[in-house]
Amino acid sequence: MDLSERIKDVEDRITSACKRCGRNREDVRIVAVTKYVSLSLTEQIVEAGFHHVGENRWQDAKAKWEALSDRVTWHFIGHLQTNKVKDVVGKFAYIHSVDRLNLAAEISRKAMEFGVVARIFLQVNVSGEDTKYGVAPEGLFELAESVKSLPGIEVLGLMTMAPHENDPERTRPVFRRLRELRDELNDAKLFPYPLVELSMGMSNDFEVAIEEGATWVRLGSVLLPYEG
Ligand SMILES: *Cc1c(COP(=O)(O)O)cnc(C)c1O
């Protein structure tokens, strides 16, 4: 499939998933994950109308960021070390991977220093796999409680990564649990505003994630084939 066929295929699948669960197509947005592809392919996906682009390392994103920064809203989706926060805040409008207080505190400090607001997601390790980052569900309320008072940060919602499953249906409980956790935070009125966003679903499982309430799906290989 060429790029336009891939885009059409993904669009059809998202539309069908929305229909199946009675959601509006506009309520599901796509982060095009370009971490495996060249600047040239990244340019093509932006030209095709994808203005939200995700990367998970600043070193890999730098050349693309420099070439495309004004045409793209950047999402940082990878694990973030505290000493790399200075490279990310201000360049990436959204940070999907905030999973500990010292990271949030550093993001807050840099956001204040640079005069920006960092829009963040709290990453939750719902599945409990050792290989996954994220706060444990039991620690989420405490983290949220501490993060909410930090200046320069706007918490948009929650993010998770499901285990890779050959049958994506098996990821459903993970996505459902993330939605419930968001609803529990809202019921507890932890934030002065409701958390709306759920960043969940990747190439292998985005349709199930949409059925469970994803508002942002992060799509790499299904849109942008690995060029290596
Ligand atoms: C790489 C990556 C994606 C996209 O993965 P695909 O399976 O290629 O769609 C999404 N989210 C995160 C956090 C990633 O690191």
Side-chain angles (χ1 to χ4, degrees), residues 107-194:
I107 292 171
S108 166
R109 271 192 292 277
K110 290 297 170 210
M112 295 307 283
E113 188 182 324
F114 302 158
V116 297
V117 173
R119 315 178 97 188
I120 69 161
F121 296 80
L122 299 177
Q123 181 175 356
V124 188
N125 184 358
V126 175
S127 67
E129 286 177 291
D130 291 345
T131 53
K132 294 267 189 298
Y133 292 105
V135 63
E138 308 79 63
L140 174 64
F141 270 63
E142 196 188 324
L143 178 63
E145 185 71 60
S146 316
V147 168
K148 80 167 187 195
S149 54
L150 296 171
I153 283 187
E154 184 187 354
V155 181
L156 301 180
L158 305 181
M159 180 275 220
T160 200
M161 289 174 79
H164 182 89
E165 299 282 359
N166 291 328
D167 175 7
E169 185 56 36
R170 292 176 63 98
T171 61
R172 189 177 296 279
V174 171
F175 298 138
R176 182 167 296 172
R177 185 71 191 122
L178 195 73
R179 168 163 50 92
E180 289 168 358
L181 288 166
R182 181 202 59 187
D183 295 346
E184 287 165 22
L185 286 171
N186 287 337
D187 289 345
K189 298 208 170 11
L190 215 69
F191 293 87
Y193 50 87

Side-chain angles (χ1 to χ4, degrees), residues 31 33-36 55-56 76-79 96-97 123 159-161 164 199 201-206 217-224:
V31 179
V33 178
T34 54
K35 66 186 180 198
Y36 295 130
E55 284 276 339
N56 59 0
F76 194 88
I77 61 174
H79 179 64
H96 290 240
S97 46
Q123 181 175 356
M159 180 275 220
T160 200
M161 289 174 79
H164 182 89
S199 168
M202 307 180 11
S203 294
N204 189 53
D205 51 25
F206 65 94
V217 289
R218 308 178 309 270
L219 303 180
S221 47
V222 72
L223 272 180
L224 298 161

Side-chain angles (χ1 to χ4, degrees), residues 76-92:
F76 194 88
I77 61 174
H79 179 64
L80 185 53
Q81 287 169 287
T82 312
N83 64 353
K84 300 283 166 57
V85 166
K86 60 179 184 325
D87 299 328
V88 168
V89 170
K91 298 190 181 85
F92 291 77

